[in-house]
Amino acid sequence: MEGAVRVQILSQGISEVPSQYIQPPKNRPGSVTENIADLSCKHVPAVDLSSEKESVLPAIREACRDWGAFHVINHGVPTKLLDDLRRACFSFFNDFPMEDKLKYACNPNFAASEGYGSRLLVSSENETVLDWRDYFDHHTLPLSRRNPSAWPHFPPEYRELMANYSDEMKALVQRLLALMSESLGLKASCIEDAVGEFYQNITASYYPPCPRPDLTLGLQSHSDIGAITLLMQDNVGGLQVLKDGEWLLVDPLPNAILVLVADQTEIITNGQYKTCVHRAVTNASKARLSIATFHDPAKTVRISPVSDLVSKSSPPLYSSVLYRDYLSSWYSNAPEGKRNLDKLLLDTSNYCSALYAIKKRNKHSQVLFHLWH
């Protein structure tokens, strides 16, 4: 069982937050950009998947290049399933005794272990600032990892709803990755082929009311480490995305699912599609729930830019990386911003110079002809 105190308990009857939850001044939320109704260019885009592909592809391309995030509507996931799962997850956190919930506590000795927890990163450092949230992480795919007996049995429909939602998210993410590939002029299976079999985790996050939302974060600034994340919000709101150096609040869109481009897709698309840096802020009056579905490669998969997006004019921006090593770096160094991804950036000027020198030495080589074309 995880030894950390749950934030839900800490939040009851206090006027100040414990020091380990207070963010350093540079990371504190400060003012939130909420009134953006007159700034339509700063709304996270929404893509209607029921529209003709001729309009869907350019909309996805623009959203992935400019934002790394977009809502999808008319996505085919039953609204009743969305509502029922939100209700069941909120009920688990809000309606049942802590004693019963702690029976599903995470293993404190392993990072991101399945179960009920409050502290994602395993660290002995007292300097770690904690997030103002509790969560339940479910290992859902491949099916060999799925063990519903490790999930809450209360409310009674919880396990069935989570399994059904997992299957719906897999189908939706396959559809989305195909559209993202086609929007770049690639074959529909390109990005999914590069990722391989999905390792899917579903994390339900519960953000209790916080007496000092100006000092805390529900979830610190980060980009997701996998390939793509699908997020379902409730109607409270609190997610912010970083756009042009400014934190913007993402208003929940009824029945929509928010798509977040993650680090491995930025690598695969050679930087054409940008990972989304985001965080969660807290509020003083109302608990918030979100459900994030992460789709990652297997640890043995090596990720690199796809060859069709690499050319003389577009050299590879990232070095290839074994996903196991990327995970290790993320958990060792903490997830602030997208600094783990930035470590893989190549010096493209050196790359171009090297290629030019090789081309001169091997000007009759058919191998180089194919490399440059």
Side-chain angles (χ1 to χ4, degrees), residues 29-45:
S31 61
V32 177
T33 301
E34 294 179 332
N35 186 21
I36 58 175
D38 296 329
L39 299 173
S40 60
C41 63
K42 291 191 176 180
H43 282 295
V44 173

Side-chain angles (χ1 to χ4, degrees), residues 47-255:
V47 177
D48 185 345
L49 294 186
S50 68
S51 299
E52 295 295 327
K53 186 180 285 189
E54 289 75 13
S55 62
V56 169
L57 294 182
I60 286 178
R61 182 166 57 247
E62 182 177 357
C64 290
R65 285 179 172 170
D66 294 346
W67 286 85
F70 56 97
H71 289 109
V72 285
I73 59 175
N74 295 319
H75 41 63
V77 182
T79 300
K80 186 178 187 303
L81 177 59
L82 302 180
D83 292 340
D84 288 350
L85 184 63
R86 268 192 298 257
R87 190 178 303 112
C89 289
F90 191 84
S91 178
F92 167 79
F93 289 108
N94 203 56
D95 297 339
F96 293 91
M98 184 59 64
E99 178 183 3
D100 292 343
K101 290 186 286 192
L102 287 175
K103 293 176 182 177
Y104 293 100
C106 296
N107 186 329
N109 299 313
F110 297 95
S113 62
E114 185 170 33
Y116 177 47
S118 293
R119 186 170 182 166
L120 180 63
L121 299 177
V122 175
S123 173
S124 60
E125 298 293 331
N126 293 326
E127 298 174 356
T128 302
V129 180
L130 301 180
D131 295 327
W132 192 262
R133 72 157 185 161
D134 298 328
Y135 64 85
F136 201 110
D137 190 41
H138 313 74
H139 295 176
T140 45
L141 289 176
L143 290 176
S144 59
R145 298 171 70 233
R146 185 185 293 183
N147 178 20
S149 66
W151 309 342
H153 67 282
F154 48 85
E157 66 275 16
Y158 189 107
R159 293 174 177 175
E160 182 180 1
L161 288 170
M162 188 60 67
N164 290 342
Y165 186 73
S166 165
D167 295 339
E168 290 283 353
M169 290 299 98
K170 179 184 177 182
L172 179 57
V173 95
Q174 288 176 313
R175 183 180 177 191
L176 287 167
L177 289 181
L179 290 169
M180 290 165 65
S181 294
E182 290 182 281
S183 72
L184 286 169
L186 305 170
K187 65 178 182 179
S189 64
C190 183
I191 296 178
E192 185 177 348
D193 289 345
V195 174
E197 183 178 27
F198 293 129
Y199 276 65
Q200 183 196 73
N201 283 17
I202 300 179
T203 302
S205 294
Y206 179 83
Y207 303 92
C210 178
R212 293 297 304 272
D214 58 316
L215 300 179
T216 60
L217 286 172
L219 195 60
Q220 65 183 291
S221 166
H222 68 287
S223 60
D224 291 340
I225 54 180
I228 188 171
T229 302
L230 303 182
L231 182 72
M232 175 169 58
Q233 298 196 77
D234 62 10
N235 62 0
V236 176
L239 178 71
Q240 292 182 329
V241 298
L242 188 63
K243 170 68 171 165
D244 300 328
E246 183 180 16
W247 286 107
L248 300 177
L249 193 65
V250 180
D251 292 326
L253 194 61
N255 300 322

